[in-house]
Structure formats: C-alpha cells, structure tokens
Amino acid sequence: MKNRLKVLRAERDWTQAQLASELDVSRQTINAIEKGKFDPSLPLAFKAARLFDMAIEEIFLISYSRVINRQLFNC
C-alpha cells in the first residue's frame, strides 16, 4: 500500500522516532510502513488520520491492481 507518511512527517520536521511516539508504535514500524513493506492496521491508520487531521484515504493509497490480483488469485 502506498502512503504519504514520509512526506507528511517531513513537512512537520518529525523524525521517524517522533512520529512513532505520537502513534504509539516502534520506529521500525514507521520505517516499514513508509517503505511499503507493512500495511498499517485499521486502528493505526485511524490514529495517523487523526494526528494529521486528514482522511485515511488521503494518507494511505490503495493499489487497485494489487487488490484485484488478490481477489483473482486468492492471495
């Protein structure tokens, strides 16, 4: 899942550690989400949306081709 966390974090001059602290997760979790290696849980996505005062869909962008592949191939 693509996301705008790194850009939003940079706009506020926050480190990964600072964002992690605000969201009550580890810095490694923020790093993995920013790199697209990990998709956030729904509660974490809601926390991020509240923190940045944005809709979840403005932060986390679904790749529809990935969703379609999952549905077609049951992955």
Side-chain angles (χ1 to χ4, degrees), residues 34-49:
E34 286 183 355
K35 292 184 177 213
K37 295 181 179 181
F38 175 77
D39 291 340
S41 66
L42 193 53
L44 180 54
F46 272 105
K47 270 185 173 179

Side-chain angles (χ1 to χ4, degrees), residues 40-72:
S41 66
L42 193 53
L44 180 54
F46 272 105
K47 270 185 173 179
R50 279 193 303 271
L51 178 65
F52 291 112
D53 194 27
M54 300 176 85
I56 290 174
E57 309 91 90
E58 293 177 285
I59 301 171
F60 301 100
L61 314 168
I62 295 175
S63 169
Y64 287 101
S65 62
R66 191 170 163 191
V67 171
I68 291 168
N69 284 341
R70 282 184 183 169
Q71 289 174 346
L72 288 176

Side-chain angles (χ1 to χ4, degrees), residues 3 5 9 15-40 44:
N3 65 77
L5 271 188
R9 178 176 61 77
T15 64
Q16 287 182 341
Q18 288 170 315
L19 178 56
S21 177
E22 291 290 331
L23 296 176
D24 199 29
V25 296
S26 69
R27 184 200 60 78
Q28 290 84 354
T29 297
I30 297 301
N31 183 272
I33 293 171
E34 286 183 355
K35 292 184 177 213
K37 295 181 179 181
F38 175 77
D39 291 340
L44 180 54

